């Protein structure tokens, strides 16, 4: 050990004497607060003529205990299950790495090579697909053990007794959380995780299931503490029962225990959160065939959809937005029926029908089938303009904007095989027309087709500047749009759309391994190192399903 702020003389002088480093015997002293320290390792071997030798070095951090900002609870990281929580596991961690790394490398190559060696896939896509996964570990990520003496009531409160497999799942797989972004510090921000969740469900499905159980617990519980919200000034309770939370908490407070760290809007009135829970439940079941999970989540899905029904104010089977930015585009105002939330709603209603059918719940199936039939008619009548779905039904100057994310409901339906036959929610010809319009206007008519798809484009080919978000490109949304195009057979257009984002972020702007949430055509980017771009894994799912 040596002082890195000095000249390093103690290292070099020691090496000069005999080519070795001689550590003092016994333990080194702990550093004082604010003091920095450094370490040097020296290893040697004899190399025969014309021969070679390999020296292996391992670097391990052992930080088993976690306190969040409130310091109310002591948490232990997942690896303490195997290496203990005493803080003395660096040598065994290093030993484990040195004895297993060759096996890890073989497994990584077996996972990646079928994609890397596929000559039909462009090189930039292979880079983006694997490298965007940086955020899974670099996103302020925590993976915690649930204490062995923990009981179901400790995890779920009094309201969550119906989640029969909550405790076994969390005991076996722990609790997982990652930040919305390194600048937007809320854990498991759910409207954004909706996009990013494809990386989890495809690669670490049990972590997605665990995360969903945590959201389900938050749904059925409430926090009656009053809070004033910044955008509207109104004061309401922090968390209402039977609605999906915006996030699982602030790392500066006590996540899981106190949810909804977001202060801009009262998200109980957001239109997308409840729907995104239902869509993920069925998507997760479709990809994992985990029927125990489906049965546990079914009552929660029914509860959040009942809460959502109040937003259908005219009983036409279609929800209405509330005249404020009441969804993931939290600075882009929506009035009345909308392509984004209306499409998510119809997709969720369709999945409720499918889940009810699987579980033999004929009464609920019929209820949602009736809503779906009414809602489909209303959606087409109020929003379809012959080429694409209008942004909203308000009739305002901007209601005819072309939203790049207007097919989000179709994206999830297609990922789950519910996009044809009896389950066709949106007419195929309309979906293709909308996607072609988006490609022509939002992609090719924006920045010469080199920067992905702008969120909102006017029919005359000028970006929508009605909000600070309508003329941004959201990289995670572009990847999901590309996946939707691939699902619908527009493979070349899908790759061209996504490539613009990759080249802009990873090459032109130099933001590799810190992909932002958004950028504009010139000068502006926002929120570096963000969760949503993990949606690129939905492109891979679409390709695999083809």
């Amino acid at each position: 050990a040596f002082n890195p702020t000095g000249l390093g003389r103690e290292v070099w002088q020691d090496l000069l004497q005999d080519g070795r480093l001689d550590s003092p015997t016994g333990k080194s002293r702990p550093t004082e607060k604010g003091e920095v320290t450094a370490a040097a390792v020296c290893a040697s071997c004899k190399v025969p003529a014309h021969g070679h030798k390999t020296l292996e070095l391992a670097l391990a951090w052992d930080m088993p205990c976690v306190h969040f900002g409130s310091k109310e609870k002591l948490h232990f990281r997942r690896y303490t299950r195997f290496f203990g929580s005493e803080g003395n596991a660096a040598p065994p961690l290093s030993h484990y790495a040195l004895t297993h790394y060759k096996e890890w490398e073989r497994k990584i190559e077996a996972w990646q090579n079928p994609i890397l060696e596929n000559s039909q896939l462009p090189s930039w896509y292979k880079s983006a697909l694997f490298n965007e996964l940086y955020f899974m570990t670099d996103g302020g990520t925590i993976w915690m053990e649930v204490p062995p003496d923990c009981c179901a009531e400790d995890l779920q409160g009094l309201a969550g007794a119906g989640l029969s497999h909550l405790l076994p799942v969390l005991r076996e797989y722990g609790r997982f959380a990652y930040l919305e972004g390194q600048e937007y510090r809320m854990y498991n921000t759910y409207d954004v995780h909706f996009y990013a969740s494809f990386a989890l469900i495809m690669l670490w499905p049990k972590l997605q299931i665990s995360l969903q159980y945590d959201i389900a617990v938050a749904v059925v519980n409430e926090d009656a503490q009053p809070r004033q919200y910044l955008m509207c000034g109104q004061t309401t309770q922090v968390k209402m029962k039977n609605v999906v939370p915006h996030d699982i908490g602030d790392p500066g407070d006590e996540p899981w225990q106190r949810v909804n760290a977001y202060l801009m809007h009262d998200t109980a009135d957001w239109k997308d959160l409840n729907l995104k829970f239902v869509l993920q439940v069925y998507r997760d079941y479709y990809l994992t065939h985990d029927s125990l999970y489906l049965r546990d989540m079914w009552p929660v899905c029914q509860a959040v959809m009942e809460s959502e029904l109040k937003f259908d104010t005219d009983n036409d089977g279609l929800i209405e937005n509330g005249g404020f930015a009441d969804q993931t585009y939290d600075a882009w105002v929506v009035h009345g029926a909308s392509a984004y939330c209306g499409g998510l709603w119809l997709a969720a209603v369709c999945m409720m029908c499918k889940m009810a059918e699987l579980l033999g719940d004929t009464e609920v199936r019929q209820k949602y089938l009736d809503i779906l039939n009414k809602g489909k008619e209303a959606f087409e009548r109020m929003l379809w303009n012959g080429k694409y779905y209008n942004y909203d039904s308000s009739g305002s100057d901007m209601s005819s904007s072309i939203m790049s994310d207007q097919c989000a409901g179709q994206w999830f339906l297609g990922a789950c095989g519910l996009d044809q036959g009896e389950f066709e929610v949106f007419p195929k010809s309309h979906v293709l027309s909308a996607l072609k319009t988006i490609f022509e206007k939002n992609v090719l008519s924006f920045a010469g087709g080199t920067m992905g798809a702008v969120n909102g484009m006017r029919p005359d080919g000028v970006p929508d500047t009605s909000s600070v978000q309508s003329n941004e490109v959201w990289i995670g949304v572009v990847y999901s749009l590309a996946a939707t195009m691939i699902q619908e057979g527009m493979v070349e257009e899908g790759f061209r759309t996504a490539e613009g984002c990759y080249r802009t972020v990873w090459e032109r702007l130099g933001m590799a391994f810190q992909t932002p949430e958004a950028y504009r055509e010139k000068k502006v980017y926002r929120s570096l190192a963000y969760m949503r771009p993990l949606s690129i894994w939905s492109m891979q799912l679409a390709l695999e399903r083809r």
Side-chain angles (χ1 to χ4, degrees):
F2 66 96
N3 178 2
T5 61
L7 297 174
R9 186 175 284 114
E10 59 269 58
V11 177
W12 307 123
Q13 289 298 333
D14 193 357
L15 271 174
L16 276 169
Q17 286 169 19
D18 55 6
R20 303 171 66 90
L21 290 175
D22 300 310
S23 293
T25 54
K27 281 192 168 185
S28 58
R29 65 173 182 80
T31 53
E32 300 291 331
K33 186 164 185 175
E35 183 187 358
V36 291
T37 191
V41 174
C42 175
S44 61
C45 63
K46 290 185 177 177
V47 185
H50 306 290
H52 68 271
K53 288 278 180 138
T54 301
L55 290 171
E56 299 166 323
L57 298 105
L59 178 61
W61 286 262
D62 181 26
M63 296 180 284
C65 307
V66 173
H67 278 108
F68 294 110
S70 74
K71 295 191 167 50
E72 289 172 40
K73 288 187 173 182
L74 175 65
H75 303 267
F76 294 107
R77 294 185 190 272
R78 162 77 173 182
Y79 76 85
T80 59
R81 169 181 297 205
F82 311 103
F83 291 95
S85 57
E86 300 301 309
N88 57 2
L93 282 166
S94 296
H95 177 267
Y96 190 80
L98 289 168
T99 54
H100 287 79
Y101 80 89
K102 288 181 180 174
E103 178 191 353
W104 296 344
E105 288 178 345
R106 278 195 301 273
K107 288 180 175 178
I108 289 169
E109 285 170 6
W111 162 48
Q112 294 188 346
N113 280 349
I115 294 168
L116 297 178
E117 292 170 1
N118 184 342
S119 60
Q120 293 182 301
L121 297 174
S123 296
W124 68 262
Y125 171 74
K126 298 170 185 178
S127 169
L129 184 70
F130 291 118
N131 287 330
E132 290 289 8
L133 288 172
Y134 82 92
F135 196 78
M136 291 303 309
T137 52
D138 201 29
T141 311
I142 47 171
W143 188 7
M144 301 302 192
E145 280 286 84
V146 169
D149 58 351
C150 183
C151 64
E153 289 73 30
D154 295 335
L155 293 170
Q156 64 197 18
L158 298 174
L163 298 166
S164 59
H165 290 86
L166 168 73
L167 189 56
V169 166
L170 294 192
R171 269 199 180 141
E172 181 60 27
Y173 299 106
R175 281 183 141 163
F176 179 84
Y178 60 149
L179 296 175
E180 178 179 339
Q182 291 179 5
E183 297 175 30
Y184 293 1
R185 286 170 42 191
M186 294 159 281
Y187 273 126
N188 296 351
T189 298
Y190 200 70
D191 56 300
V192 184
H193 171 71
F194 171 72
Y195 294 83
S197 64
F198 279 89
L200 272 179
I201 196 60
M202 290 180 69
L203 300 172
W204 300 280
K206 296 297 186 182
L207 294 183
Q208 165 68 5
I209 299 293
S210 165
L211 187 155
Q212 285 283 89
Y213 269 101
D214 278 329
I215 294 292
V217 168
V219 165
V220 297
N221 286 285
E222 65 179 335
D223 182 345
Q225 301 262 355
R227 173 192 283 164
Q228 187 171 37
Y229 290 92
L230 299 176
M231 293 296 280
C232 57
Q234 69 191 62
T235 301
T236 56
Q237 68 185 69
V238 169
K239 167 69 178 64
M240 290 179 65
K241 190 177 166 116
N242 291 340
V243 298
V244 171
H246 173 272
D247 57 80
I248 218 72
D250 179 350
D253 186 24
E254 193 62 56
W256 291 297
Q257 189 166 318
R258 285 185 291 279
V259 303
N260 274 352
Y262 180 76
L263 296 171
M264 297 284 285
H265 301 281
D266 178 8
T267 56
D269 286 330
W270 274 21
K271 307 305 180 287
D272 59 342
L273 289 168
N274 295 331
L275 308 174
K276 287 172 174 177
F277 179 80
V278 173
L279 293 168
Q280 286 182 72
V281 166
Y282 183 73
R283 190 272 319 269
D284 298 346
Y285 167 75
Y286 177 77
L287 293 176
T288 65
H289 308 291
D290 187 338
S291 54
L292 297 175
Y293 165 74
L294 183 65
R295 288 186 184 279
D296 264 3
M297 295 297 150
W298 179 233
V300 187
C301 287
Q302 291 180 75
V304 299
M305 288 298 277
E306 279 298 319
S307 292
E308 192 78 8
L309 273 168
K310 68 178 177 288
F311 299 131
D312 180 9
T313 53
D314 53 7
N315 198 33
D316 64 352
L318 189 64
I319 61 168
E320 285 81 40
N321 289 85
F324 69 104
D326 51 359
Q327 25 70 47
T328 195
Y329 297 88
D330 57 356
W332 195 358
V333 172
V334 204
H335 295 269
S338 70
Y340 183 69
C341 291
L344 292 174
W345 161 256
L346 291 178
V349 171
C350 174
M351 290 190 184
M352 288 295 287
C353 296
K354 182 64 178 175
M355 287 189 283
E357 180 185 299
L358 288 166
L359 295 167
D361 198 331
T362 52
E363 190 180 331
V364 171
R365 183 180 184 277
Q366 191 57 52
K367 171 184 173 176
Y368 282 101
L369 200 55
D370 293 344
I371 293 170
L372 183 59
N373 289 329
K374 277 199 304 182
K376 285 198 294 188
E377 188 278 326
F379 188 79
E380 296 295 325
R381 173 170 43 82
M382 298 173 77
L383 294 165
W384 180 250
N385 65 18
K387 288 193 74 179
Y388 60 91
Y389 293 103
N390 285 334
Y391 177 67
D392 66 22
S393 65
S394 65
S396 70
D397 290 345
M398 294 299 171
S399 69
S400 60
S401 284
I402 306 159
M403 186 187 200
S404 66
D405 212 2
Q406 64 184 269
C407 295
Q410 177 71 8
W411 170 45
F412 253 71
L413 289 169
C416 301
L418 293 178
D419 54 345
Q420 51 204 327
E422 62 174 315
F423 295 108
E424 184 179 277
V425 174
F426 309 99
K428 212 60 155 173
S429 60
H430 289 188
V431 171
L432 281 168
S433 176
L435 290 173
K436 285 173 181 172
T437 303
I438 293 165
F439 184 66
E440 178 192 332
K441 298 289 188 180
N442 301 54
V443 180
L444 297 182
S445 299
F446 177 75
T450 62
M451 293 182 75
V454 69
N455 283 342
M457 181 67 89
R458 300 296 300 138
D460 61 1
V462 176
D464 181 335
T465 55
S466 62
S467 88
V468 295
Q469 293 173 337
S470 54
N471 66 341
E472 289 182 327
V473 175
W474 287 9
I475 295 93
V477 168
V478 173
Y479 288 152
S480 69
L481 167 63
T484 315
M485 289 175 172
I486 291 167
Q487 284 170 188
E488 301 301 328
M490 297 170 59
V491 180
E492 192 179 327
E493 293 91 337
F495 277 128
R496 170 86 186 265
T497 298
E499 181 179 3
C501 282
Y502 174 82
R503 303 252 182 233
T504 299
V505 171
W506 290 76
E507 294 178 356
R508 195 156 63 80
L509 298 182
M511 293 179 180
F513 302 104
Q514 49 181 345
T515 306
E517 157 74 318
Y519 55 72
R520 290 193 184 147
E521 185 174 4
K522 292 177 179 154
K523 295 185 179 177
V524 175
Y525 68 88
R526 182 167 61 80
S527 188
L528 280 177
Y530 198 75
M531 177 196 286
R532 204 181 318 247
L534 287 166
S535 63
I536 193 169
W537 278 86
S538 67
M539 288 180 67
Q540 184 60 23
L541 180 64
L543 290 164
E544 289 175 12
R545 287 199 67 228
R546 288 183 61 81

